[in-house]
Amino acid sequence: MLTSLSIKNYALIDHLHVDFNNGFTIITGETGAGKSILLGGLSLILGKRADLSSLRDKEAKCVIEAHFDVTNYNLKALFEANDIDFETQTIIRREILPSGKSRAFVNDSPANLSSLQALGERLIDIHSQHETLQLVDDDFQFEVIDALAENNNELQDYAIQLSVYKKLKGELKHLLDFRKDAIKEHEYHSFLLNELTQAKLKEGELEVLEEEYEMLSNIETIQEKLTASNQLLSDEQIGVINALTELKTVLKQLANVSNKYEELYNRVNSSLIELDDVFSEVERFQEDLEVNPNRLEEVNAKLATLNNLFQKHAVTDISSLIEIRAQLEEKVSATENVDSDIAKKEAEIKGVKAKLDAVAGAIHTKRTKAVPDLKQQLEHILSSLGMPNAQFDIKLSLDETYYKNGKEALSFLFSANKGGDFKTLKKAASGGELSRIMLAIKSILTRYINLPTIMFDEIDTGVSGEISNKMAEIMSQMSTTMQVFSITHLPQIAAKGHTHYKVYKEDVNNITTTNLIQLNHDERIVEIAQMLGGIDLSNSALAHAKELLN
């Protein structure tokens, strides 16, 4: 409920602060006194866009602050979803700066307009004769029926199943689209994969092949050089080994003379041992060396294959080709398995669809049972509100489409006159009739769900005295379970309020200012008497006012 409202520097309001109670609150005032300004300020709290022209003093900021008791509103999840600190005593503040910028805060946490609007919808419902579009909206009509049908649990279950169903349908579409595109590319991908598979790629293979190619393509030169090396090492006349052997023999004789000659001898001996090993290695290389034109052709072909693959796939190493091969294997495999995946997904969808249909069927059954009760209650209330011939024709029919709240098409038709044709509310009801229908619906809803604070803005315009009494009784009854405001010009309604506020204008230093005050019992008598008979009070008007209040 709205517990207090503070407005500074807004339109004709300089500074206004008022505390509100639960129950039925009346707001009255002469035409032009500023009731619409009060609603305008409250609308900013509910997320309406700010207008710089609404600043009273263009050099100062406008501040509007409202306090709400949300203890019984079950709004914690909504606060968390909008990243706002939850407090049972919630404070919403809106500021309009002289620069034109607007700021909003909920419990001192900055909030954007969308969060403010989402929260505002759960806090206050402002309803006027010119704001009945909600009544002709299918979603609202379903909400009314579902409230009587007590479909809350079923609708939550339906929403969960619908979310899963839509997710699976999206995944199926992705698979179908993938298959459609993949079929076109499958042959090409398979060809590329086959090329890479036949190449029998191995990490590090390129370096080995390149070295082998150099060996095989230069076999004659290698052979020639190894033969020359063999001769230089082993030839009897000029061979290095023979020469070193003779040198070793000579130094052997000197080794016994002095240690320094022995050291020289040992060095020569070590060199001879090393050269013997080199000679053995050269001989082994000669033995292993084989002219193999077939192998050279194989290596050359493999290198050509690799270079072609490098060029085709725009890479420079075998590791990249192996990675591309893995990707192609995945694509080809996915394409080959997509039919199986589609079949599995369709089976999942079939199972969820069965659950969705079952819940939708349960919702439809409960709605169908609730419709006659809603029709009877509406027609009964409207009869007491001066519409004795009002009739509703409400029909529900199961559809094949999954809507956000079920699988039904709703026909919510109305006729205000006996024998008249049934038409949609928008076509069949006048503005005053729509207001009374909305009042009837809201009064019915209070018996089934917790509604937020509701503010009726002059919905009694054009209503006669007796009907206004009934409207006042309905609003008063609603206020036993919720906070109800009524901005009214009718004394019959004003007298039914538990608390009465008056909006008035006054001129201070040649500046007009709008104010709001709470009236005591005697002041209420005067206000209601003036509503009855004008500003010049008569004894009969005062007596009538007292009678209404009592």
Side-chain angles (χ1 to χ4, degrees):
M1 61 172 279
L2 176 65
T3 58
S4 71
L5 178 65
S6 176
I7 302 177
K8 295 180 182 178
N9 193 37
Y10 178 74
L12 295 180
I13 297 174
D14 179 32
H15 183 194
L16 180 153
H17 177 84
V18 59
D19 295 319
F20 296 111
N21 298 317
N22 206 346
F24 188 20
T25 299
I26 298 297
I27 298 176
T28 60
E30 295 179 5
T31 300
K35 297 186 293 295
S36 61
I37 295 173
L38 196 67
L39 286 178
L42 192 57
S43 295
L44 289 175
I45 288 292
L46 305 180
K48 182 182 176 182
R49 293 199 171 276
D51 184 357
L52 185 60
S53 64
S54 60
L55 266 64
R56 178 182 175 88
D57 179 356
K58 305 300 182 185
E59 302 300 318
K61 70 178 179 180
C62 163
V63 180
I64 301 173
E65 184 172 291
H67 292 221
F68 295 89
D69 181 352
V70 298
T71 304
N72 300 319
Y73 281 28
N74 297 319
L75 295 180
K76 191 170 184 179
L78 180 61
F79 274 75
E80 291 174 353
N82 287 277
D83 198 24
I84 299 171
D85 292 335
F86 175 75
E87 299 287 346
T88 55
Q89 303 301 315
T90 285
I91 301 172
I92 301 178
R93 186 172 75 257
R94 189 80 183 274
E95 298 178 357
I96 307 172
L97 306 180
S99 64
K101 290 184 178 180
S102 169
R103 301 185 300 188
F105 303 88
V106 179
N107 296 328
D108 287 329
S109 298
N112 55 38
L113 286 190
S114 60
S115 297
L116 218 58
Q117 290 164 0
L119 187 57
E121 289 175 358
R122 303 287 295 275
L123 296 176
I124 298 184
D125 177 10
I126 297 178
H127 176 67
S128 69
Q129 192 178 78
H130 307 291
E131 294 172 344
T132 51
L133 291 179
Q134 184 188 33
L135 188 57
V136 300
D137 180 66
D138 278 359
D139 288 343
F140 177 73
Q141 293 169 358
F142 271 120
E143 286 176 16
V144 175
I145 295 171
D146 285 325
L148 272 70
E150 298 180 344
N151 264 334
N152 188 52
N153 291 337
E154 287 80 0
L155 287 170
Q156 287 181 8
D157 191 13
Y158 178 85
I160 293 170
Q161 298 297 339
L162 182 61
S163 176
V164 174
Y165 178 74
K166 287 181 176 180
K167 179 175 177 289
L168 291 174
K169 290 283 283 186
E171 292 171 354
L172 177 62
K173 183 179 183 303
H174 175 75
L175 286 171
L176 292 171
D177 291 343
F178 174 80
R179 183 174 66 178
K180 183 179 178 182
D181 295 335
I183 288 171
K184 300 175 186 176
E185 299 177 357
H186 179 66
E187 187 175 339
Y188 178 59
H189 286 158
S190 297
F191 171 75
L192 292 177
L193 177 60
N194 188 51
E195 273 189 332
L196 291 170
T197 302
Q198 287 183 344
K200 298 178 180 178
L201 303 170
K202 297 177 184 176
E203 292 278 4
E205 183 182 25
L206 181 62
E207 293 77 8
V208 173
L209 287 170
E210 287 175 339
E211 183 180 348
E212 188 176 1
Y213 176 79
E214 288 298 320
M215 288 279 293
L216 292 170
S217 61
N218 293 286
I219 191 78
E220 293 178 357
T221 301
I222 295 170
Q223 220 169 25
E224 179 185 330
K225 300 303 179 185
L226 287 175
T227 299
S229 298
N230 190 311
Q231 287 179 341
L232 288 170
L233 286 167
S234 63
D235 188 89
E236 291 183 4
Q237 301 297 324
I238 61 170
V240 175
I241 292 176
N242 286 336
L244 272 179
T245 302
E246 290 180 17
L247 179 60
K248 174 185 173 184
T249 302
V250 172
L251 290 176
K252 174 72 173 173
Q253 297 170 2
L254 292 175
N256 297 324
V257 175
S258 170
N259 288 336
K260 62 182 180 180
Y261 298 130
E262 184 180 6
E263 184 181 343
L264 191 59
Y265 166 80
N266 290 334
R267 288 172 63 190
V268 171
N269 187 47
S270 295
S271 297
L272 185 58
I273 293 170
E274 180 66 22
L275 277 175
D276 279 334
D277 189 58
V278 169
F279 176 66
S280 298
E281 194 81 357
V282 169
E283 284 189 321
R284 185 170 64 80
F285 285 160
Q286 283 182 298
E287 291 172 2
D288 291 344
L289 203 62
E290 180 185 357
V291 177
N292 190 343
N294 291 332
R295 178 57 184 164
L296 176 60
E297 188 176 337
E298 288 176 8
V299 172
N300 191 39
K302 183 64 180 283
L303 285 171
T305 298
L306 290 175
N307 285 321
N308 286 335
L309 290 173
F310 289 154
Q311 188 174 3
K312 179 177 286 187
H313 296 283
V315 296
T316 58
D317 55 71
I318 290 180
S319 296
S320 299
L321 288 178
I322 291 173
E323 186 177 340
I324 292 170
R325 184 182 65 190
Q327 292 171 356
L328 287 169
E329 285 173 345
E330 187 176 335
K331 288 180 180 178
V332 170
S333 174
T335 304
E336 292 172 349
N337 296 329
V338 71
D339 287 336
S340 173
D341 293 339
I342 287 173
K344 289 178 183 176
K345 196 64 64 179
E346 287 175 338
E348 281 187 79
I349 290 172
K350 185 177 180 181
V352 173
K353 187 176 184 294
K355 294 179 183 178
L356 200 54
D357 287 341
V359 179
I363 291 171
H364 175 68
T365 299
K366 294 180 75 172
R367 282 173 175 171
T368 303
K369 291 180 179 178
V371 162
D373 186 26
L374 173 61
K375 180 177 180 296
Q376 182 182 10
Q377 291 190 56
L378 280 173
E379 291 173 355
H380 174 73
I381 294 171
L382 290 175
S383 177
S384 66
L385 291 176
M387 299 171 65
N389 298 317
Q391 287 183 296
F392 288 88
D393 183 17
I394 305 171
K395 294 178 181 177
L396 294 161
S397 56
L398 279 173
D399 202 340
E400 290 304 311
T401 304
Y402 293 101
Y403 303 106
K404 65 180 181 180
N405 56 3
K407 283 186 66 177
E408 289 158 283
L410 173 62
S411 173
F412 202 105
L413 303 179
F414 172 72
S415 173
N417 303 306
K418 189 177 292 186
D421 294 333
F422 284 100
K423 298 178 182 178
T424 61
L425 285 170
K426 190 175 183 178
K427 294 180 179 179
S430 65
E433 288 169 339
L434 284 175
S435 291
R436 279 178 270 182
I437 293 170
M438 180 62 91
L439 176 60
I441 286 175
K442 296 288 186 181
S443 68
I444 293 170
L445 288 178
T446 58
R447 305 171 196 170
Y448 299 92
I449 58 176
N450 290 327
L451 291 176
T453 293
I454 190 167
M455 186 169 288
F456 293 106
D457 178 21
E458 298 184 0
I459 67 163
D460 47 33
T461 301
V463 172
S464 66
E466 183 56 37
I467 296 172
S468 66
N469 273 327
K470 186 59 183 176
M471 292 180 78
E473 288 175 10
I474 290 173
M475 286 187 274
S476 181
Q477 180 60 37
M478 290 172 65
S479 73
T480 60
T481 57
M482 63 184 294
Q483 186 182 37
V484 178
F485 287 85
S486 177
I487 298 174
T488 182
H489 287 293
L490 293 181
Q492 292 87 348
I493 291 178
K496 284 287 195 297
H498 305 131
T499 312
H500 191 156
Y501 294 88
K502 180 178 181 178
V503 180
Y504 66 97
K505 286 196 295 190
E506 61 180 348
D507 295 332
V508 179
N509 298 325
N510 293 321
I511 297 176
T512 301
T513 301
T514 290
N515 285 305
L516 180 71
I517 59 168
Q518 181 177 350
L519 303 180
N520 59 32
H521 183 72
D522 291 338
E523 290 167 337
R524 288 188 73 184
I525 293 173
V526 173
E527 175 69 9
I528 292 171
Q530 289 178 339
M531 294 171 75
L532 286 164
I535 194 166
D536 296 324
L537 295 177
S538 64
N539 290 331
S540 61
L542 288 169
H544 191 184
K546 290 177 182 178
E547 183 181 349
L548 286 174
L549 279 171
N550 292 327

